[in-house]
PDB file of all heavy atoms in Angstrom:
ATOM      1  N   VAL A 495       6.959 -22.152  20.486  1.00 98.00           N
ATOM      2  CA  VAL A 495       8.259 -21.728  19.917  1.00 98.00           C
ATOM      3  C   VAL A 495       8.673 -22.660  18.781  1.00 98.00           C
ATOM      4  O   VAL A 495       9.206 -22.180  17.767  1.00 98.00           O
ATOM      5  CB  VAL A 495       9.301 -21.663  21.043  1.00 98.00           C
ATOM      6  CG1 VAL A 495      10.712 -21.499  20.482  1.00 98.00           C
ATOM      7  CG2 VAL A 495       9.007 -20.538  22.017  1.00 98.00           C
ATOM      8  N   LEU A 496       8.485 -23.931  18.949  1.00 97.00           N
ATOM      9  CA  LEU A 496       8.867 -24.906  17.923  1.00 97.00           C
ATOM     10  C   LEU A 496       8.085 -24.676  16.628  1.00 97.00           C
ATOM     11  O   LEU A 496       8.658 -24.653  15.529  1.00 97.00           O
ATOM     12  CB  LEU A 496       8.609 -26.352  18.429  1.00 97.00           C
ATOM     13  CG  LEU A 496       8.848 -27.463  17.397  1.00 97.00           C
ATOM     14  CD1 LEU A 496      10.332 -27.587  17.095  1.00 97.00           C
ATOM     15  CD2 LEU A 496       8.255 -28.756  17.856  1.00 97.00           C
ATOM     16  N   VAL A 497       6.782 -24.469  16.747  1.00 97.00           N
ATOM     17  CA  VAL A 497       5.965 -24.258  15.527  1.00 97.00           C
ATOM     18  C   VAL A 497       6.368 -22.965  14.816  1.00 97.00           C
ATOM     19  O   VAL A 497       6.551 -22.939  13.593  1.00 97.00           O
ATOM     20  CB  VAL A 497       4.438 -24.273  15.898  1.00 97.00           C
ATOM     21  CG1 VAL A 497       3.602 -23.863  14.715  1.00 97.00           C
ATOM     22  CG2 VAL A 497       4.042 -25.645  16.392  1.00 97.00           C
ATOM     23  N   VAL A 498       6.490 -21.915  15.589  1.00 97.00           N
ATOM     24  CA  VAL A 498       6.835 -20.609  14.968  1.00 97.00           C
ATOM     25  C   VAL A 498       8.205 -20.647  14.387  1.00 97.00           C
ATOM     26  O   VAL A 498       8.429 -20.168  13.264  1.00 97.00           O
ATOM     27  CB  VAL A 498       6.701 -19.494  16.036  1.00 97.00           C
ATOM     28  CG1 VAL A 498       7.298 -18.193  15.533  1.00 97.00           C
ATOM     29  CG2 VAL A 498       5.260 -19.296  16.437  1.00 97.00           C
ATOM     30  N   ALA A 499       9.172 -21.283  15.064  1.00 97.00           N
ATOM     31  CA  ALA A 499      10.549 -21.345  14.573  1.00 97.00           C
ATOM     32  C   ALA A 499      10.636 -22.187  13.284  1.00 97.00           C
ATOM     33  O   ALA A 499      11.319 -21.786  12.340  1.00 97.00           O
ATOM     34  CB  ALA A 499      11.475 -21.908  15.609  1.00 97.00           C
ATOM     35  N   SER A 500       9.905 -23.283  13.237  1.00 97.00           N
ATOM     36  CA  SER A 500      10.002 -24.124  12.028  1.00 97.00           C
ATOM     37  C   SER A 500       9.374 -23.455  10.833  1.00 97.00           C
ATOM     38  O   SER A 500       9.926 -23.531   9.734  1.00 97.00           O
ATOM     39  CB  SER A 500       9.376 -25.495  12.296  1.00 97.00           C
ATOM     40  OG  SER A 500       7.995 -25.334  12.604  1.00 97.00           O
ATOM     41  N   VAL A 501       8.282 -22.750  11.010  1.00 96.00           N
ATOM     42  CA  VAL A 501       7.664 -22.009   9.928  1.00 96.00           C
ATOM     43  C   VAL A 501       8.536 -20.857   9.492  1.00 96.00           C
ATOM     44  O   VAL A 501       8.743 -20.618   8.275  1.00 96.00           O
ATOM     45  CB  VAL A 501       6.222 -21.541  10.318  1.00 96.00           C
ATOM     46  CG1 VAL A 501       5.688 -20.551   9.300  1.00 96.00           C
ATOM     47  CG2 VAL A 501       5.279 -22.716  10.491  1.00 96.00           C
ATOM     48  N   LEU A 502       9.109 -20.151  10.435  1.00 97.00           N
ATOM     49  CA  LEU A 502      10.028 -19.048  10.056  1.00 97.00           C
ATOM     50  C   LEU A 502      11.261 -19.551   9.339  1.00 97.00           C
ATOM     51  O   LEU A 502      11.752 -18.902   8.374  1.00 97.00           O
ATOM     52  CB  LEU A 502      10.421 -18.248  11.286  1.00 97.00           C
ATOM     53  CG  LEU A 502       9.342 -17.327  11.869  1.00 97.00           C
ATOM     54  CD1 LEU A 502       9.846 -16.659  13.129  1.00 97.00           C
ATOM     55  CD2 LEU A 502       8.917 -16.302  10.849  1.00 97.00           C
ATOM     56  N   ILE A 503      11.824 -20.668   9.766  1.00 96.00           N
ATOM     57  CA  ILE A 503      12.977 -21.219   9.090  1.00 96.00           C
ATOM     58  C   ILE A 503      12.611 -21.632   7.663  1.00 96.00           C
ATOM     59  O   ILE A 503      13.393 -21.401   6.702  1.00 96.00           O
ATOM     60  CB  ILE A 503      13.588 -22.391   9.884  1.00 96.00           C
ATOM     61  CG1 ILE A 503      14.253 -21.880  11.144  1.00 96.00           C
ATOM     62  CG2 ILE A 503      14.558 -23.237   9.054  1.00 96.00           C
ATOM     63  CD1 ILE A 503      14.714 -22.950  12.111  1.00 96.00           C
ATOM     64  N   TRP A 504      11.425 -22.191   7.459  1.00 94.00           N
ATOM     65  CA  TRP A 504      10.993 -22.586   6.110  1.00 94.00           C
ATOM     66  C   TRP A 504      10.841 -21.313   5.244  1.00 94.00           C
ATOM     67  O   TRP A 504      11.252 -21.350   4.073  1.00 94.00           O
ATOM     68  CB  TRP A 504       9.655 -23.344   6.166  1.00 94.00           C
ATOM     69  CG  TRP A 504       9.325 -23.914   4.841  1.00 94.00           C
ATOM     70  CD1 TRP A 504       9.591 -25.173   4.420  1.00 94.00           C
ATOM     71  CD2 TRP A 504       8.622 -23.261   3.751  1.00 94.00           C
ATOM     72  NE1 TRP A 504       9.129 -25.338   3.128  1.00 94.00           N
ATOM     73  CE2 TRP A 504       8.510 -24.155   2.710  1.00 94.00           C
ATOM     74  CE3 TRP A 504       8.082 -21.990   3.591  1.00 94.00           C
ATOM     75  CZ2 TRP A 504       7.917 -23.887   1.504  1.00 94.00           C
ATOM     76  CZ3 TRP A 504       7.499 -21.658   2.406  1.00 94.00           C
ATOM     77  CH2 TRP A 504       7.401 -22.591   1.371  1.00 94.00           C
ATOM     78  N   ILE A 505      10.296 -20.284   5.820  1.00 95.00           N
ATOM     79  CA  ILE A 505      10.127 -19.017   5.032  1.00 95.00           C
ATOM     80  C   ILE A 505      11.489 -18.469   4.662  1.00 95.00           C
ATOM     81  O   ILE A 505      11.667 -17.999   3.513  1.00 95.00           O
ATOM     82  CB  ILE A 505       9.277 -18.039   5.851  1.00 95.00           C
ATOM     83  CG1 ILE A 505       7.830 -18.495   5.922  1.00 95.00           C
ATOM     84  CG2 ILE A 505       9.354 -16.621   5.238  1.00 95.00           C
ATOM     85  CD1 ILE A 505       6.981 -17.673   6.853  1.00 95.00           C
ATOM     86  N   VAL A 506      12.448 -18.467   5.585  1.00 95.00           N
ATOM     87  CA  VAL A 506      13.776 -17.942   5.273  1.00 95.00           C
ATOM     88  C   VAL A 506      14.438 -18.804   4.178  1.00 95.00           C
ATOM     89  O   VAL A 506      15.035 -18.273   3.240  1.00 95.00           O
ATOM     90  CB  VAL A 506      14.631 -17.888   6.551  1.00 95.00           C
ATOM     91  CG1 VAL A 506      16.078 -17.658   6.227  1.00 95.00           C
ATOM     92  CG2 VAL A 506      14.132 -16.796   7.450  1.00 95.00           C
ATOM     93  N   LEU A 507      14.324 -20.120   4.285  1.00 91.00           N
ATOM     94  CA  LEU A 507      14.918 -20.979   3.277  1.00 91.00           C
ATOM     95  C   LEU A 507      14.271 -20.788   1.916  1.00 91.00           C
ATOM     96  O   LEU A 507      14.946 -20.808   0.874  1.00 91.00           O
ATOM     97  CB  LEU A 507      14.826 -22.456   3.715  1.00 91.00           C
ATOM     98  CG  LEU A 507      15.721 -22.871   4.886  1.00 91.00           C
ATOM     99  CD1 LEU A 507      15.443 -24.312   5.235  1.00 91.00           C
ATOM    100  CD2 LEU A 507      17.176 -22.648   4.575  1.00 91.00           C
ATOM    101  N   ALA A 508      12.960 -20.609   1.905  1.00 90.00           N
ATOM    102  CA  ALA A 508      12.271 -20.374   0.643  1.00 90.00           C
ATOM    103  C   ALA A 508      12.635 -19.025   0.021  1.00 90.00           C
ATOM    104  O   ALA A 508      12.792 -18.920  -1.191  1.00 90.00           O
ATOM    105  CB  ALA A 508      10.777 -20.481   0.822  1.00 90.00           C
ATOM    106  N   SER A 509      12.772 -17.991   0.848  1.00 93.00           N
ATOM    107  CA  SER A 509      13.061 -16.642   0.311  1.00 93.00           C
ATOM    108  C   SER A 509      14.486 -16.494  -0.136  1.00 93.00           C
ATOM    109  O   SER A 509      14.768 -15.651  -0.974  1.00 93.00           O
ATOM    110  CB  SER A 509      12.668 -15.592   1.342  1.00 93.00           C
ATOM    111  OG  SER A 509      13.508 -15.704   2.422  1.00 93.00           O
ATOM    112  N   THR A 510      15.390 -17.285   0.409  1.00 94.00           N
ATOM    113  CA  THR A 510      16.807 -17.174  -0.007  1.00 94.00           C
ATOM    114  C   THR A 510      17.112 -18.040  -1.212  1.00 94.00           C
ATOM    115  O   THR A 510      18.224 -17.949  -1.749  1.00 94.00           O
ATOM    116  CB  THR A 510      17.750 -17.545   1.138  1.00 94.00           C
ATOM    117  OG1 THR A 510      17.416 -18.850   1.615  1.00 94.00           O
ATOM    118  CG2 THR A 510      17.645 -16.564   2.303  1.00 94.00           C
ATOM    119  N   GLY A 511      16.229 -18.867  -1.641  1.00 88.00           N
ATOM    120  CA  GLY A 511      16.431 -19.675  -2.823  1.00 88.00           C
ATOM    121  C   GLY A 511      17.110 -20.983  -2.557  1.00 88.00           C
ATOM    122  O   GLY A 511      17.607 -21.618  -3.511  1.00 88.00           O
ATOM    123  N   ILE A 512      17.146 -21.431  -1.323  1.00 90.00           N
ATOM    124  CA  ILE A 512      17.791 -22.726  -1.017  1.00 90.00           C
ATOM    125  C   ILE A 512      17.019 -23.862  -1.650  1.00 90.00           C
ATOM    126  O   ILE A 512      17.642 -24.789  -2.141  1.00 90.00           O
ATOM    127  CB  ILE A 512      17.875 -22.891   0.499  1.00 90.00           C
ATOM    128  CG1 ILE A 512      18.728 -21.817   1.154  1.00 90.00           C
ATOM    129  CG2 ILE A 512      18.398 -24.250   0.885  1.00 90.00           C
ATOM    130  CD1 ILE A 512      20.167 -21.858   0.809  1.00 90.00           C
ATOM    131  N   PHE A 513      15.727 -23.789  -1.645  1.00 86.00           N
ATOM    132  CA  PHE A 513      14.915 -24.877  -2.207  1.00 86.00           C
ATOM    133  C   PHE A 513      15.114 -24.999  -3.719  1.00 86.00           C
ATOM    134  O   PHE A 513      15.171 -26.090  -4.274  1.00 86.00           O
ATOM    135  CB  PHE A 513      13.432 -24.661  -1.909  1.00 86.00           C
ATOM    136  CG  PHE A 513      13.100 -24.889  -0.448  1.00 86.00           C
ATOM    137  CD1 PHE A 513      12.166 -24.077   0.182  1.00 86.00           C
ATOM    138  CD2 PHE A 513      13.714 -25.869   0.304  1.00 86.00           C
ATOM    139  CE1 PHE A 513      11.848 -24.234   1.521  1.00 86.00           C
ATOM    140  CE2 PHE A 513      13.389 -26.047   1.631  1.00 86.00           C
ATOM    141  CZ  PHE A 513      12.476 -25.234   2.252  1.00 86.00           C
ATOM    142  N   ALA A 514      15.281 -23.874  -4.426  1.00 85.00           N
ATOM    143  CA  ALA A 514      15.512 -23.920  -5.855  1.00 85.00           C
ATOM    144  C   ALA A 514      16.868 -24.552  -6.152  1.00 85.00           C
ATOM    145  O   ALA A 514      16.988 -25.365  -7.089  1.00 85.00           O
ATOM    146  CB  ALA A 514      15.437 -22.514  -6.455  1.00 85.00           C
ATOM    147  N   THR A 515      17.874 -24.211  -5.369  1.00 87.00           N
ATOM    148  CA  THR A 515      19.200 -24.810  -5.547  1.00 87.00           C
ATOM    149  C   THR A 515      19.186 -26.279  -5.226  1.00 87.00           C
ATOM    150  O   THR A 515      19.771 -27.103  -5.946  1.00 87.00           O
ATOM    151  CB  THR A 515      20.214 -24.089  -4.627  1.00 87.00           C
ATOM    152  OG1 THR A 515      20.154 -22.705  -4.847  1.00 87.00           O
ATOM    153  CG2 THR A 515      21.619 -24.595  -4.851  1.00 87.00           C
ATOM    154  N   LEU A 516      18.461 -26.636  -4.183  1.00 86.00           N
ATOM    155  CA  LEU A 516      18.342 -28.047  -3.839  1.00 86.00           C
ATOM    156  C   LEU A 516      17.568 -28.800  -4.864  1.00 86.00           C
ATOM    157  O   LEU A 516      17.909 -29.972  -5.185  1.00 86.00           O
ATOM    158  CB  LEU A 516      17.659 -28.173  -2.447  1.00 86.00           C
ATOM    159  CG  LEU A 516      17.737 -29.495  -1.754  1.00 86.00           C
ATOM    160  CD1 LEU A 516      19.187 -29.943  -1.533  1.00 86.00           C
ATOM    161  CD2 LEU A 516      17.006 -29.455  -0.432  1.00 86.00           C
ATOM    162  N   ASP A 517      16.533 -28.209  -5.460  1.00 83.00           N
ATOM    163  CA  ASP A 517      15.785 -28.831  -6.567  1.00 83.00           C
ATOM    164  C   ASP A 517      16.713 -29.118  -7.715  1.00 83.00           C
ATOM    165  O   ASP A 517      16.659 -30.215  -8.329  1.00 83.00           O
ATOM    166  CB  ASP A 517      14.652 -27.917  -7.032  1.00 83.00           C
ATOM    167  CG  ASP A 517      13.444 -27.980  -6.128  1.00 83.00           C
ATOM    168  OD1 ASP A 517      13.345 -28.953  -5.337  1.00 83.00           O
ATOM    169  OD2 ASP A 517      12.594 -27.065  -6.204  1.00 83.00           O
ATOM    170  N   LYS A 518      17.521 -28.141  -8.112  1.00 84.00           N
ATOM    171  CA  LYS A 518      18.434 -28.330  -9.232  1.00 84.00           C
ATOM    172  C   LYS A 518      19.436 -29.421  -8.970  1.00 84.00           C
ATOM    173  O   LYS A 518      19.711 -30.284  -9.843  1.00 84.00           O
ATOM    174  CB  LYS A 518      19.153 -27.026  -9.565  1.00 84.00           C
ATOM    175  CG  LYS A 518      20.024 -27.097 -10.797  1.00 84.00           C
ATOM    176  CD  LYS A 518      20.547 -25.752 -11.151  1.00 84.00           C
ATOM    177  CE  LYS A 518      21.417 -25.728 -12.370  1.00 84.00           C
ATOM    178  NZ  LYS A 518      21.858 -26.917 -12.966  1.00 84.00           N
ATOM    179  N   THR A 519      19.990 -29.463  -7.738  1.00 84.00           N
ATOM    180  CA  THR A 519      20.946 -30.496  -7.382  1.00 84.00           C
ATOM    181  C   THR A 519      20.305 -31.879  -7.404  1.00 84.00           C
ATOM    182  O   THR A 519      20.895 -32.832  -7.943  1.00 84.00           O
ATOM    183  CB  THR A 519      21.538 -30.215  -6.003  1.00 84.00           C
ATOM    184  OG1 THR A 519      22.089 -28.888  -5.982  1.00 84.00           O
ATOM    185  CG2 THR A 519      22.612 -31.213  -5.646  1.00 84.00           C
ATOM    186  N   LEU A 520      19.140 -31.984  -6.841  1.00 80.00           N
ATOM    187  CA  LEU A 520      18.467 -33.282  -6.791  1.00 80.00           C
ATOM    188  C   LEU A 520      17.988 -33.738  -8.184  1.00 80.00           C
ATOM    189  O   LEU A 520      17.934 -34.909  -8.481  1.00 80.00           O
ATOM    190  CB  LEU A 520      17.321 -33.245  -5.791  1.00 80.00           C
ATOM    191  CG  LEU A 520      17.712 -33.218  -4.334  1.00 80.00           C
ATOM    192  CD1 LEU A 520      16.478 -33.067  -3.456  1.00 80.00           C
ATOM    193  CD2 LEU A 520      18.491 -34.409  -3.934  1.00 80.00           C
ATOM    194  N   GLN A 521      17.619 -32.772  -9.073  1.00 79.00           N
ATOM    195  CA  GLN A 521      17.244 -33.167 -10.398  1.00 79.00           C
ATOM    196  C   GLN A 521      18.432 -33.673 -11.172  1.00 79.00           C
ATOM    197  O   GLN A 521      18.283 -34.595 -11.995  1.00 79.00           O
ATOM    198  CB  GLN A 521      16.649 -31.928 -11.139  1.00 79.00           C
ATOM    199  CG  GLN A 521      15.257 -31.584 -10.686  1.00 79.00           C
ATOM    200  CD  GLN A 521      14.770 -30.275 -11.254  1.00 79.00           C
ATOM    201  OE1 GLN A 521      15.484 -29.606 -11.996  1.00 79.00           O
ATOM    202  NE2 GLN A 521      13.536 -29.892 -10.918  1.00 79.00           N
ATOM    203  N   ASP A 522      19.646 -33.127 -10.930  1.00 79.00           N
ATOM    204  CA  ASP A 522      20.814 -33.635 -11.551  1.00 79.00           C
ATOM    205  C   ASP A 522      21.195 -35.016 -11.079  1.00 79.00           C
ATOM    206  O   ASP A 522      21.625 -35.885 -11.861  1.00 79.00           O
ATOM    207  CB  ASP A 522      21.993 -32.681 -11.311  1.00 79.00           C
ATOM    208  CG  ASP A 522      21.855 -31.327 -12.046  1.00 79.00           C
ATOM    209  OD1 ASP A 522      21.020 -31.271 -12.989  1.00 79.00           O
ATOM    210  OD2 ASP A 522      22.519 -30.381 -11.658  1.00 79.00           O
ATOM    211  N   ILE A 523      21.019 -35.247  -9.778  1.00 82.00           N
ATOM    212  CA  ILE A 523      21.363 -36.563  -9.227  1.00 82.00           C
ATOM    213  C   ILE A 523      20.358 -37.647  -9.610  1.00 82.00           C
ATOM    214  O   ILE A 523      20.709 -38.706 -10.009  1.00 82.00           O
ATOM    215  CB  ILE A 523      21.494 -36.464  -7.660  1.00 82.00           C
ATOM    216  CG1 ILE A 523      22.662 -35.586  -7.280  1.00 82.00           C
ATOM    217  CG2 ILE A 523      21.601 -37.859  -7.048  1.00 82.00           C
ATOM    218  CD1 ILE A 523      22.761 -35.312  -5.818  1.00 82.00           C
ATOM    219  N   LEU A 524      19.078 -37.287  -9.476  1.00 74.00           N
ATOM    220  CA  LEU A 524      17.983 -38.290  -9.674  1.00 74.00           C
ATOM    221  C   LEU A 524      17.566 -38.401 -11.139  1.00 74.00           C
ATOM    222  O   LEU A 524      16.819 -39.315 -11.469  1.00 74.00           O
ATOM    223  CB  LEU A 524      16.805 -37.963  -8.787  1.00 74.00           C
ATOM    224  CG  LEU A 524      17.053 -37.943  -7.271  1.00 74.00           C
ATOM    225  CD1 LEU A 524      15.790 -37.491  -6.551  1.00 74.00           C
ATOM    226  CD2 LEU A 524      17.471 -39.330  -6.806  1.00 74.00           C
TER     227      LEU A 524
END
């Protein structure tokens, strides 16, 4: 359950664009 849930959460975060928003925020900070 842990492995499947973590992979599914990563897929949901990637498909909703959270990583792109986080990339932009971290690029501005760093």
Side-chain angles (χ1 to χ4, degrees):
V495 168
L496 174 71
V497 171
V498 170
S500 63
V501 170
L502 285 177
I503 289 172
W504 189 94
I505 289 171
V506 167
L507 290 177
S509 65
T510 56
I512 299 292
F513 290 142
T515 307
L516 193 58
D517 281 342
K518 185 173 180 350
T519 305
L520 289 175
Q521 286 171 0
D522 291 342
I523 292 173
L524 299 175

